[in-house]
Amino acid sequence: MLFNSVQFGVFFAMVLVGFVASPRRYRTSVLLGASLSFYALWVPAYLVLLLGTLSVNFLLTKRMSRSPHPRRYLVASVAITLSLLAVFKYAAFGVELATPFVRRALDTSPRIPELVLPLGISFYSFEIVSLSVDVYRGRRPCPSFARYLLFVTFFPHLIAGPIMRGGELLPQLDAGGERTPERTRRGLWLFFTGLAKKTVFADFLL
C-alpha cells in the first residue's frame, strides 16, 4: 500500500476518523491496531516475526531499566535485532559469495535461500536499537508494552522512515494527540507539501 495511493488515502481517513472519535484512553489502541493491520497487509506471516522481535526486545529493555548491570541486556537486544536484520538482508549474498569455495571443496553448490525481505525491517530494527540505547543512557524510561509497540510500528513511518528517537515520538503519544487550530494547520501543510514532493518531484525524477 503506497502512501500516494487511493487505498492508503482511504485507510488513513478511516484511521483518522476512528482516532478523533475515540476517547483519549483508547487512542493508543486505535493507532496500534491500525499500524499492525497496515503491516499485516504486506506479508501476514511476518507480523508474527515483528511481534516476536518486539516482545523479546521489550522484555530485555524492561529488565535493562531495572538491572544494576544494564549493559548485558543492551548487548543482547542489539545482537538479536541486528542478527535478524543481517539474516534477511545478507544471507543470500553470503551464500552466493561462498558458493565457489563450497563447489571447489565439496563438488556441490549450496542452495541460495530465497527470503522475502520483511516490510520495513531496516527502519524498525534501528528504531528498536535507538530506543534501547536511550533507555540504557537514562534518556527515556522504558514505556509500557503498548507504547513500545506503537513507537516502533507507527504506520506513517514504519516502511519509509525516518528513524525516530524515543524523545521525538513518545512524548507525542503520551500527549494523546492534542489538537489546536495551529497544530491542525501545520499538520495539513506538512501532509500536503510532503505528498506533493513525493508525487510531483520524487516519482517524476525516478
Side-chain angles (χ1 to χ4, degrees):
M1 189 188 301
L2 299 176
F3 287 141
N4 57 337
S5 66
V6 175
Q7 293 90 337
F8 181 80
V10 173
F11 177 82
F12 183 83
M14 292 173 60
V15 174
L16 181 60
V17 170
F19 179 84
V20 173
S22 299
R24 182 170 177 173
R25 64 181 180 275
Y26 296 126
R27 287 178 174 175
T28 295
S29 299
V30 170
L31 291 178
L32 181 57
S35 298
L36 295 179
S37 299
F38 178 81
Y39 193 85
L41 291 173
W42 177 250
V43 179
Y46 278 152
L47 179 62
V48 178
L49 173 68
L50 175 63
L51 291 175
T53 302
L54 291 176
S55 298
V56 170
N57 276 283
F58 173 76
L59 292 175
L60 291 171
T61 304
K62 196 75 172 176
R63 293 291 300 272
M64 179 172 59
S65 66
R66 299 174 176 177
S67 173
H69 306 289
R71 185 179 180 84
R72 65 185 65 174
Y73 297 103
L74 174 65
V75 171
S77 176
V78 172
I80 291 171
T81 304
L82 296 186
S83 294
L84 284 172
L85 176 62
V87 166
F88 281 99
K89 293 202 74 169
Y90 303 115
F93 178 66
V95 172
E96 188 174 356
L97 285 179
T99 295
F101 303 99
V102 175
R103 185 184 297 119
R104 188 179 301 117
L106 302 177
D107 196 26
T108 185
S109 297
R111 182 176 178 271
I112 298 177
E114 296 181 3
L115 298 176
V116 178
L117 194 65
L119 184 67
I121 188 171
S122 296
F123 292 112
Y124 75 67
S125 295
F126 287 112
E127 287 208 333
I128 291 171
V129 171
S130 74
L131 186 54
S132 295
V133 171
D134 282 349
V135 173
Y136 173 75
R137 293 179 174 173
R139 294 173 179 168
R140 295 289 308 176
C142 182
S144 67
F145 186 50
R147 284 280 196 272
Y148 186 93
L149 291 180
L150 182 55
F151 167 73
V152 178
T153 65
F154 190 47
F155 72 91
H157 71 88
L158 175 61
I159 63 172
I163 297 170
M164 302 185 72
R165 304 297 294 265
E168 295 176 285
L169 183 58
L170 284 171
Q172 299 180 59
L173 298 178
D174 294 337
E178 180 183 358
R179 298 187 306 280
T180 65
E182 177 59 30
R183 287 167 64 90
T184 300
R185 285 193 295 270
R186 178 64 174 164
L188 290 173
W189 169 255
L190 291 173
F191 181 87
F192 285 109
T193 54
L195 183 61
K197 290 176 182 178
K198 164 67 176 170
T199 56
V200 176
F201 297 104
D203 289 350
F204 177 76
L205 293 175
L206 288 176

